[in-house]
Amino acid sequence: MKISVKNADIKNEVCDVVVINLFEGVKNPSGATGVINEAVNNKIVDYIINMEDFKGEFGTFYTLPVLNNEIAAKKILIAGLGKKEDFNLNKLRELSAKIINECKKNKKDKNIVSILHGAGEGELCTKCCAKMIAEGITIANYKFDKYLSDEDKNKTAQIENFIICENDETKIEKIKEGLYIGETIAKASNFAKDLINEAAYVMTPNKLSEVAKSIDEVDIKIYDKKDIEKMDMGAYLAVARGSVNEPKFIHLTYKPKNPNGKKVAIIGKGITFDSGGMDLKPPSSMLNMKDDMSGAACVIGLFSVLNELNINTEVHGIIAACENMISGCAYKPGDILKAKNGKTIEVDNTDAEGRLTLADALCFADELNVDEVIDVATLTGACMVALGTCASGIMGTNQELINKLIEVSKVSDEKLWQLPLYEEYDKSLKSDIADMKNTGSRYAGASTAGVFLSKFIKNKNWAHIDIAGTAFLEKPDKYGVKMANGAMVRTLLYYLKECKCK
Ligand code: BES
Ligand code: MG
Ligand code: ZN
């Protein structure tokens, strides 16, 4: 889909659909909606508003065919913005996604012209409106159809052009900038989705490392099994041992052209398939476990656009990729492992593998002397039980960092909710024969996993984000996104980009 802006009169734009909008309760629409209303002989006011066919409730639509060439578009789509006082940039992103989903219902609708929703009567910042629209439409236009037959692929419409029509020439540059940022952020998220939705037999640790290697203008070092052994990553190696697909430890480095002096490491859990190991998962829990590399996909998604977004922070991306499989070589309950920092771990449950791989990755990040370490992981079913599929859990050692990430998640609209790392949770990880066990009590599972991770990082600016509930959706979310959803890509990009405007 090509997204662009045009300085033109919306009445004259030739397209399949022209999208205008209406706030709830508006009787005499102004701006572009007013212009279109006039051009179609007041039909919008006379028939749609006055006859109360359409009230403008948020996310609802009304389609009006164009007769007698009153305007150049073939039909008019009126998007309901809801109550003016409730409208904001997050609503705009959501509405934009809904517009795409609405247009996709008709196969013939390929060329869309839209006004810049939110910037007129909505009084929101022009650049941010453009950003939200580009983000929303790009997220919603995503599809994973590579394994479908051509016939099935063609069943849904593919939007080819989305043009923002703006009659005020002075706004064009700002709109262009916004569209570029929004589209780039959403592209990164869609890239992550592609990696997660791919089948696990394709998206192996090696494949993941090759995808990471294909990113332009970032440095990469890939460590293979022998290198990982030399680095004494005994916890990570144990998890990897059960699979014929060897582990790959991936270290990406992005050096900014205009450095601001800050260095951040972002670690992504990269279990390309989690069978549970010897503590095998039941079938229903194993079904979507190709998504257990969603943290890794998030890191790769971020790296794919750091240059394009001109990020000024130095960013390290770290992925300890491997499979958690069951075989004659697999690690066993009762095994005692030694992590990179020398600490020993008694394996209580082989299905708590993510924290073992992350333990060594955290030790590695510690040695990079970065200012902050953030890890993103599909770590615990307990987090999903606690927060559901609409919020990720966040915990860590620096409240300021956590607060900043929570604030930015309100801008990206990927909810983060803090969970505690109380000292009390320590007890349940006590082992009689090693420094700790890898699992503790059945209760507070997300926090216990967090406490476990905290033993492997000295850096006091550490945040852990558990995306077990948010990474892969069985039902479509409010953007219409199902399956992989690129969790935390947008949030971390907004964080790195230091977007100020709300
Ligand atoms: N990958 C899973 C966590 C997960 C669960 C991700 C559901 C996405 C959806 C993780 O490796 C795991 O198996 N965790 C165990 C830990 C337990 C054994 C302490 C869990 O949550 O059941
Ligand atoms: Mg597991
Ligand atoms: Zn896992």
Side-chain angles (χ1 to χ4, degrees):
M1 177 173 56
K2 191 170 175 291
I3 303 172
S4 55
V5 56
K6 193 169 174 188
N7 181 206
D9 183 347
I10 196 150
K11 295 197 294 285
N12 306 329
E13 286 311 295
V14 178
C15 60
D16 299 311
V17 186
V18 63
V19 192
I20 54 174
N21 65 45
L22 196 67
F23 275 111
E24 235 176 286
V26 169
K27 294 281 178 239
N28 282 306
S30 58
T33 305
V35 169
I36 298 283
N37 175 56
E38 239 171 71
V40 298
N41 294 320
N42 225 35
K43 271 204 275 287
I44 295 176
V45 170
D46 288 349
Y47 298 119
I48 301 168
I49 299 178
N50 289 349
M51 300 188 59
E52 294 195 351
D53 268 357
F54 181 68
K55 296 195 180 70
E57 282 165 58
F58 179 77
T60 60
F61 294 95
Y62 194 98
T63 309
L64 187 68
V66 173
L67 307 170
N68 310 323
N69 298 325
E70 288 161 327
I71 59 170
K74 289 189 189 134
K75 61 183 171 193
I76 302 165
L77 183 68
I78 314 173
L81 300 186
K83 294 198 176 69
K84 195 174 160 185
E85 62 271 25
D86 293 341
F87 198 70
N88 56 36
L89 288 171
N90 284 336
K91 282 272 172 69
L92 176 55
R93 184 198 286 108
E94 186 183 336
L95 179 88
S96 307
K98 289 187 157 82
I99 288 172
I100 289 296
N101 293 325
E102 188 68 21
C103 291
K104 276 205 289 196
K105 284 182 186 163
N106 191 327
K107 257 182 68 178
K108 288 192 208 123
D109 296 341
K110 293 176 188 303
N111 296 301
I112 318 291
V113 166
S114 171
I115 59 173
L116 189 74
H117 308 284
E121 198 135 339
E123 296 168 15
L124 301 169
C125 151
T126 299
K127 182 174 162 181
C128 286
C129 284
K131 204 158 66 181
M132 288 305 117
I133 293 174
E135 225 183 276
I137 64 176
T138 307
I139 287 169
N141 204 40
Y142 172 84
K143 55 190 177 41
F144 186 77
D145 63 358
K146 62 187 279 197
Y147 294 109
L148 292 182
S149 65
D150 285 347
E151 196 189 330
D152 282 343
K153 263 185 210 172
N154 293 334
K155 275 187 188 149
T156 43
Q158 193 53 36
I159 311 297
E160 285 169 10
N161 281 296
F162 195 100
I163 303 170
I164 301 284
C165 190
E166 172 59 58
N167 63 0
D168 181 350
E169 203 192 336
T170 63
K171 289 186 177 166
I172 299 295
E173 262 324 292
K174 283 271 167 264
I175 295 174
K176 254 189 208 160
E177 282 171 35
L179 290 179
Y180 177 77
I181 297 174
E183 187 181 10
T184 307
I185 288 176
K187 250 176 35 192
S189 168
N190 287 349
F191 187 47
K193 289 187 218 169
D194 266 344
L195 306 183
I196 301 162
N197 284 327
E198 185 55 90
Y201 81 98
V202 177
M203 200 46 63
T204 57
N206 186 50
K207 177 71 188 192
L208 210 53
S209 73
E210 277 173 5
V211 175
K213 214 194 295 184
S214 71
I215 300 171
D216 291 336
E217 292 183 78
V218 295
D219 296 331
I220 182 160
K221 179 139 179 53
I222 297 165
Y223 300 83
D224 62 18
K225 191 171 160 222
K226 280 210 179 71
D227 304 319
I228 302 166
E229 278 164 2
K230 274 188 217 135
M231 293 195 288
D232 292 325
M233 295 181 162
Y236 167 36
L237 279 165
V239 176
R241 216 162 54 212
S243 174
V244 287
N245 293 313
E246 294 206 344
K248 297 281 173 186
F249 187 91
I250 306 164
H251 178 198
L252 287 150
T253 308
Y254 165 78
K255 294 242 159 87
K257 292 187 188 80
N258 305 303
N260 59 11
K262 191 173 159 185
K263 296 181 187 180
V264 179
I266 302 176
I267 303 173
K269 173 172 169 182
I271 300 293
T272 58
F273 189 74
D274 182 10
S275 71
M278 300 302 287
D279 288 298
L280 196 64
K281 285 182 185 294
S284 61
S285 308
M286 205 191 294
L287 192 60
N288 292 328
M289 278 304 134
K290 66 175 184 183
D291 82 342
D292 217 14
M293 37 62 78
S294 297
C298 171
V299 169
I300 294 175
L302 297 175
F303 269 78
S304 71
V305 298
L306 293 177
N307 257 301
E308 279 173 75
L309 289 177
N310 211 358
I311 301 296
N312 296 326
T313 301
E314 180 174 311
V315 190
H316 293 262
I318 300 161
I319 300 164
C322 71
E323 280 186 334
N324 185 24
M325 295 299 279
I326 184 164
S327 79
C329 309
Y331 79 131
K332 305 173 183 75
D335 283 359
I336 296 167
L337 321 173
K338 194 181 209 174
K340 186 169 165 51
N341 65 355
K343 292 204 171 134
T344 55
I345 307 157
E346 179 189 358
V347 178
D348 187 59
N349 190 316
T350 61
D351 199 11
E353 84 299 335
R355 62 195 77 183
L356 296 171
T357 62
L358 289 171
D360 281 328
L362 285 163
C363 296
F364 182 92
D366 237 352
E367 291 175 10
L368 296 173
N369 286 318
V370 291
D371 301 299
E372 291 166 2
V373 178
I374 301 168
D375 76 73
V376 184
T378 43
L379 204 61
T380 66
C383 190
M384 192 170 179
V385 170
L387 303 176
T389 57
C390 73
S392 307
I394 184 167
M395 51 214 103
T397 44
N398 183 320
Q399 196 54 46
E400 210 182 310
L401 172 63
I402 293 170
N403 290 348
K404 271 197 225 159
L405 287 165
I406 291 176
E407 271 316 298
V408 94
S409 78
K410 291 175 187 163
V411 178
S412 64
D413 202 20
E414 295 187 295
K415 291 180 177 57
L416 282 176
W417 189 260
Q418 187 172 3
L419 297 171
L421 289 181
Y422 297 135
E423 255 175 49
E424 281 83 343
Y425 300 133
D426 255 30
K427 265 196 236 122
S428 70
L429 291 170
K430 285 265 176 301
S431 160
D432 291 331
I433 50 170
D435 293 330
M436 67 197 92
K437 293 191 294 190
N438 72 332
T439 59
S441 143
R442 212 157 62 80
Y443 303 120
S447 287
T448 312
V451 168
F452 178 90
L453 295 181
S454 72
K455 310 290 177 201
F456 299 90
I457 178 121
K458 292 197 203 85
N459 193 318
K460 285 283 165 259
N461 301 324
W462 164 66
H464 157 60
I465 302 177
D466 193 331
I467 56 169
T470 50
F472 200 89
L473 310 172
E474 276 169 13
K475 290 198 192 107
D477 64 8
K478 60 187 180 189
Y479 304 106
V481 175
K482 221 179 130 176
M483 305 188 293
N485 91 338
M488 287 303 124
V489 173
R490 299 204 315 265
T491 302
L492 292 174
L493 284 175
Y494 275 109
Y495 178 65
L496 293 168
K497 183 90 189 138
E498 294 171 285
C499 276
K500 290 281 184 307
C501 189
K502 290 234 174 105

